[in-house]
Amino acid sequence: MFRSHYDSDVTVWSPQGRLHQVEYAMEAVNLGTATVALKTEDFAVLVALCKPSSELGISLPKIISIDSHVGISIAGITADARLLSRYLRTECLSYKHSYSTIYPVQRLVTNLGNKLQITTQRYDRRPYGVGMLLAGYDEKGAHIYQVMPSANVLICKAMAIGARSQGSRTYLERNLSEFKTSSMHDIIVHGIQAVSRACPLDEELKIAVGIVGKDQPFKLLSSVECDAYLELAKTSERHETPPETPAETVEPSAVPSDIDPTSTGFSEEI
């Protein structure tokens, strides 16, 4: 009942102690198309669902290249993601110009979190309505970070965000132990199988894949490469599905003669 009175300004708390503007931004992430990030010791992979955004069938970019060692996948408002990606590119270029080396991934994500935090504290701003999964590789290895509109920054081994992403997170949790030692091809297949859990059954699975790692600059796979990995993922999933075994039937002769077949197993005393 108080929402209409307390949701016009991000600095105004509701009587329940909630910031509705921040909650709206988080809901925009939950309504966005699902995306998945996962990593091995040497590679970090981003896999995102692609859906046509207009009658012309044009898909907005779901994975954005930031630098040779960093890329992001998004869920939420694409315009906000474009602004943040421009900020990240500027930071990487400035750091490379000043120090002649790549921007450390952890420091880059920390600065991004600080930028998002400002929009949750000033009345003249609104929170960015986009969630991001950032994949990077530097001298410390492969990294996956989750960045949310509330300025929460989480270090992850694997993560999925967006609409219907609960099934993807369940798949990632069940297979987490395999990711660390997987090859580059296997981790891409795992990412496709995870994101397929978030795709509606009546829609064709269309994906975008980005990968970065050891001796591998950030790269967006072409449509031909994505189709090849899709076929590989479908084949692997068929092999992993165990055949259904018929239920065992009990022959009448196997029932002991001293048991009444009509008995319920409980004795009743009067």
Side-chain angles (χ1 to χ4, degrees):
M1 61 180 294
F2 297 99
R3 177 162 297 185
S4 61
H5 300 286
Y6 296 96
D7 64 352
S8 60
D9 195 334
V10 74
T11 61
V12 177
W13 295 81
S14 72
Q16 293 83 15
R18 299 162 59 183
L19 288 174
H20 293 300
Q21 284 286 333
V22 177
E23 292 183 6
Y24 295 162
M26 297 293 291
E27 186 62 24
V29 177
N30 295 331
L31 295 176
T33 311
T35 179
V36 170
L38 61 167
K39 69 173 185 176
T40 68
E41 291 184 346
D42 297 326
F43 295 96
V45 175
L46 301 172
V47 184
L49 290 178
C50 295
K51 293 183 179 180
S53 58
S54 66
E55 296 179 356
L56 298 177
I58 300 175
S59 297
L60 297 175
K62 290 288 295 180
I63 300 179
I64 303 172
S65 175
I66 301 300
D67 201 355
S68 60
H69 69 299
V70 177
I72 61 173
S73 62
I74 62 172
I77 302 176
T78 307
D80 289 353
R82 188 179 297 113
L83 290 174
L84 293 175
S85 63
R86 188 180 306 167
Y87 164 77
L88 292 173
R89 287 170 178 164
T90 302
E91 288 290 301
C92 290
L93 288 173
S94 298
Y95 192 92
K96 186 176 294 185
H97 177 75
S98 300
Y99 301 101
S100 299
T101 185
I102 60 175
Y103 206 130
V105 179
Q106 183 177 1
R107 188 183 301 180
L108 179 64
V109 176
T110 300
N111 290 342
L112 176 60
N114 293 337
K115 180 178 178 62
L116 295 176
Q117 180 67 28
I118 294 174
T119 62
T120 65
Q121 296 175 326
R122 294 180 54 173
Y123 68 90
D124 59 338
R125 300 289 182 89
R126 67 165 178 83
Y128 291 101
V130 62
M132 291 179 288
L133 295 177
L134 185 144
Y137 186 87
D138 56 17
E139 59 183 9
K140 294 184 179 180
H143 304 276
I144 293 291
Y145 289 92
Q146 179 189 8
V147 185
M148 301 306 289
S150 58
N152 289 332
V153 178
L154 305 177
I155 304 174
C156 307
K157 295 181 180 178
M159 180 52 66
I161 60 174
R164 304 167 60 94
S165 60
Q166 181 58 51
S168 299
R169 286 194 292 271
T170 301
Y171 176 89
L172 295 174
E173 184 178 357
R174 290 178 178 175
N175 298 274
L176 186 61
S177 59
E178 302 178 14
F179 298 159
K180 187 175 182 180
T181 57
S182 296
S183 65
M184 182 185 72
H185 302 293
D186 291 338
I187 200 67
I188 294 176
V189 170
H190 277 300
I192 294 174
Q193 291 178 344
V195 82
S196 66
R197 268 64 176 178
C199 182
L201 297 177
D202 57 344
E203 294 184 8
E204 182 182 358
L205 182 61
K206 294 183 178 180
I207 60 170
V209 180
I211 184 169
V212 64
K214 186 177 181 181
D215 300 325
Q216 172 63 60
F218 187 83
K219 174 187 177 183
L220 285 171
L221 300 188
S222 65
S223 58
V224 176
E225 292 173 313
C226 289
D227 291 340
Y229 278 112
L230 275 173
E231 291 298 324
L232 184 60
K234 292 178 182 177
T235 304
S236 300
E237 194 167 9
R238 284 197 297 267
H239 289 170
E240 291 176 0
T241 303
E244 295 184 0
T245 55
E248 295 184 359
T249 57
V250 180
E251 298 294 335
S253 59
V255 180
S257 58
D258 57 342
I259 297 180
D260 183 5
T262 62
S263 174
T264 59
F266 296 94
S267 61
E268 184 177 355
E269 297 182 359
I270 301 177

